[in-house]
Amino acid sequence: MNYNKKSVEDIDVAGKRVLCRCDFNVPTKDGKITSDKRIVAALPTIEYLIKHGARVILCSHMGKPKNGPDPAFSLQVVADRLSELLGQPVKMAKDVVGESAQSLAASLKDGEVMLLENTRFEKGETKNDPELSKKLASLADIFVNDAFGTAHRAHASTAGVAEYLPAVCGFLVQKEVSIMGKALADPERPFVAILGGAKVSDKLNVINNLLEKVDTLIIGGGMAYTFLAAKGYGIGKSLFDAEKVDYCKDMMKKAEEKGVKLLLPVDTVVAADFPNPIDAPIDVKTVDVSEIPADMEGMDIGEKTRALFADAVKSAKTVVWNGPMGVFENPTLAKGTIAVAQALADSDAITIVGGGDSAAACEQLGFADKITHISTGGGASLEFLEGLELPGIACLQDK
């Protein structure tokens, strides 16, 4: 896949109607936004378009509305917050491609901004319906995709519309693609990847693809126990993917053949039962991976493993991390994930954290500003690491 895509800076936007796909899928509670991080992340592109005299038509999805328009999923709250951040009014359309959207788009003046209603109010959005894509495209002269978080989905507002308009990326997508693209295509070495999370099956293709590229692959989290089982260890009641044992054996063999260091936990924090609720106090002990009691399950990496993993990060020049090392929502079981986040924060390497839980962990721990790049898209960054083509980026014009 070519990661060298045209951006808003490569085209003339003055006086043009620009449809800009953002990721405004923000968390809300009682009708109020609880984190506006995604809105703030879109500001550089929106402010560039305003400054260069574009007529800005923003669009995004929010949540998963089931049956068409639903006030609970309206983007009005986003329009209000965006007006405050931009210091100018953001006009809100009452629909996605209907009369309200069309008349507002037609009356926009240079430097003005409007927001379409939640794209998922249209059934055709997730089906990438060409009719909806055409209607969206008819509102504008240029399409800008600045929503990396949805770039792995071929929806009408992320990929479909690019069939009918010249399409380029915004600054957020450009940053994601250039940093992650370079890390995978031409990394500074040693290149270390750290994978965690619950299931091996979620990361099958990622492991396979990364083994072609990395010098060291570190595996923690729930997925490590299937690897340990494949090595012949008893893993007690730990997470186990019986169908993937042979796959894990193959991957360990592949690592050996390629001269890639594959690091697995050497000790683990075990408990009798999963904490309920998830942040409840819990009795734990640390054991070597060869001595996991039959009636207990592994919930985090132990102290020796934390040191082992941190040590591998110390000598790295590029580090990619995706997925927690344990049940990090529980303070007792968060130490492994904290240790990895700390190792990345202390490192002089280029450090890239895939979205989702690992990104949340870095932010909660206050390490975000010490990481080179935290991806805004969990699913998208995973598919990127798999080496898959992301439809929302493939559809953009090459430089």
Side-chain angles (χ1 to χ4, degrees), residues 2-296:
N2 181 0
Y3 300 124
N4 202 5
K5 296 293 183 180
K6 281 189 182 171
S7 83
V8 282
E9 292 179 299
D10 297 314
I11 48 163
D12 179 17
V13 298
K16 302 271 194 353
R17 288 177 306 156
V18 178
L19 177 69
C20 183
R21 174 59 154 100
C22 300
D23 182 3
F24 293 147
N25 186 22
V26 292
T28 56
K29 193 179 177 188
D30 306 326
K32 290 192 173 52
I33 295 172
T34 52
S35 163
D36 65 0
K37 210 176 81 218
R38 288 180 168 176
I39 302 176
V40 171
L43 289 177
T45 299
I46 299 169
E47 283 167 346
Y48 176 91
L49 291 170
I50 293 170
K51 190 175 147 203
H52 289 81
R55 304 170 179 196
V56 188
I57 304 166
L58 303 172
C59 69
S60 175
H61 79 284
M62 185 163 89
K64 293 181 177 166
K66 290 281 175 280
N67 307 309
D70 176 344
F73 293 100
S74 170
L75 287 181
Q76 183 66 56
V77 286
V78 174
D80 296 343
R81 181 68 186 121
L82 204 48
S83 305
E84 290 167 13
L85 291 165
L86 291 170
Q88 73 177 71
V90 173
K91 302 173 180 187
M92 183 72 206
K94 293 185 172 62
D95 49 33
V96 184
V97 287
E99 268 171 46
S100 170
Q102 288 172 24
S103 63
L104 272 181
S107 66
L108 272 188
K109 296 184 178 64
D110 297 1
E112 289 187 335
V113 183
M114 66 176 279
L115 175 61
L116 302 176
E117 198 37 287
N118 190 336
T119 54
R120 288 197 183 163
F121 286 178
E122 292 284 340
K123 287 220 167 21
E125 160 74 328
T126 52
K127 299 189 178 94
N128 196 7
D129 173 32
E131 285 311 305
L132 178 59
S133 301
K134 267 184 216 159
K135 282 182 187 161
L136 275 168
S138 72
L139 298 173
D141 309 305
I142 294 166
F143 174 59
V144 173
N145 189 3
D146 209 27
F148 183 75
T150 55
H152 58 306
R153 301 198 183 105
H155 288 175
S157 69
T158 60
V161 65
E163 302 277 326
Y164 307 101
L165 288 175
V168 298
C169 63
F171 296 126
L172 189 62
V173 164
Q174 186 183 34
K175 184 181 170 201
E176 292 273 8
V177 170
S178 59
I179 293 178
M180 290 175 72
K182 174 158 182 3
L184 292 179
D186 182 22
E188 286 191 47
R189 297 186 178 278
F191 178 15
V192 176
I194 306 165
L195 294 177
K199 298 204 225 34
V200 178
S201 47
D202 292 346
K203 308 256 163 95
L204 290 179
N205 303 336
V206 180
I207 296 169
N208 208 2
N209 190 40
L210 287 176
L211 282 176
E212 303 285 342
K213 302 178 189 301
V214 299
D215 301 295
T216 302
L217 180 61
I218 294 174
I219 292 183
M223 62 193 280
Y225 299 101
T226 304
F227 276 89
L228 292 169
K231 284 185 83 159
Y233 291 117
I235 55 167
K237 298 193 302 184
S238 308
L239 274 178
F240 175 57
D241 199 337
E243 288 170 10
K244 297 295 177 268
V245 172
D246 287 342
Y247 170 86
C248 292
K249 286 180 181 164
D250 289 345
M251 289 302 111
M252 291 189 282
K253 195 169 151 220
K254 179 173 175 173
E256 203 176 332
E257 285 164 4
K258 293 210 166 286
V260 173
K261 242 189 192 157
L262 181 71
L263 296 181
L264 293 166
V266 290
D267 60 348
T268 178
V269 176
V270 296
D273 286 299
F274 202 80
N276 184 18
I278 202 156
D279 54 359
I282 184 168
D283 287 331
V284 297
K285 62 178 185 173
T286 302
V287 296
D288 274 11
V289 290
S290 57
E291 294 166 1
I292 299 174
D295 59 348
M296 295 190 126

